[in-house]
Amino acid sequence: MTAKRKIYVCVSWALVLAVMIFIFSMSSANGTESSQMSNSLLFKITELTGIEISSHFIRKAAHFGEFTLLSFLLTNTVFATFKNKKAGLFAFSFACLYAVTDELHQLFSDGRACSVKDMLIDSSGALLGAVLFSIIILIYIKHIERKKENGSFKTV
């Protein structure tokens, strides 16, 4: 593994860990703090766009987005580390497991609850993240293969 690739892999793992810590910290917020964060975001969105969105939608979109990002980054990281074609499946499975632990963690935060609905939303986001990365990497690989076939690909 080249030094450049080692750095890429280390940064990739650090980003995955950062997103996991972020999700954990958001789940640690009590019900009042969580509502205040959602309402603050709602206010900013309404102020910027003039569009009013429900707090419920923002909260569910946040769940979906967090796990889309986690799964996307994890798919990238597993692929970069192990060059495994099943990176997306691993990332999706891991993110789903993390969604379950995230919801269980919320049982210990005042004013929060464990929700199967949120686990499904999280898992849907995880599926999107893994699929998006997999599509991007497939397009990239096809692009590289075409360049090699045309003789325009140069190795350094």
Side-chain angles (χ1 to χ4, degrees):
M1 189 182 295
T2 66
K4 189 175 181 179
R5 184 158 171 241
K6 283 180 184 177
I7 291 170
Y8 181 81
V9 167
C10 287
V11 169
S12 295
W13 281 110
L15 288 172
V16 167
L17 187 59
V19 171
M20 290 175 70
I21 291 168
F22 175 78
I23 291 170
F24 183 85
S25 69
M26 291 293 104
S27 293
S28 296
N30 66 39
T32 304
E33 293 168 334
S34 181
S35 291
Q36 287 173 344
M37 284 186 275
S38 297
N39 291 336
S40 174
L41 182 59
L42 270 174
F43 178 76
K44 289 175 185 172
I45 290 171
T46 303
E47 191 176 58
L48 288 170
T49 65
I51 300 170
E52 289 194 33
I53 302 170
S54 75
S55 176
H56 179 75
F57 177 80
I58 288 293
R59 295 171 78 83
K60 301 311 166 193
H63 273 269
F64 187 86
E66 290 170 341
F67 281 86
T68 299
L69 180 61
L70 175 61
S71 185
F72 184 91
L73 292 174
L74 189 56
T75 304
N76 169 64
T77 303
V78 171
F79 186 79
T81 304
F82 304 108
K83 294 295 182 193
N84 189 322
K85 292 180 182 177
K86 294 183 181 179
L89 181 60
F90 173 82
F92 169 69
S93 300
F94 181 85
C96 289
L97 180 62
Y98 197 69
V100 170
T101 63
D102 177 57
E103 289 302 315
L104 291 173
H105 171 229
Q106 288 182 36
L107 285 173
F108 301 99
S109 300
D110 289 336
R112 304 289 295 272
C114 179
S115 166
V116 172
K117 181 179 171 183
D118 285 348
M119 285 182 224
L120 293 173
I121 291 169
D122 298 344
S123 296
S124 298
L127 180 61
L128 177 63
V131 168
L132 280 176
F133 183 84
S134 298
I135 289 170
I136 291 168
I137 201 68
L138 283 173
I139 291 169
Y140 176 75
I141 288 170
K142 292 286 183 194
H143 176 72
I144 294 299
E145 287 173 355
R146 260 190 247 123
K147 278 188 159 188
K148 284 181 181 178
E149 288 172 5
N150 295 335
S152 61
F153 185 77
K154 297 178 184 175
T155 56
V156 182

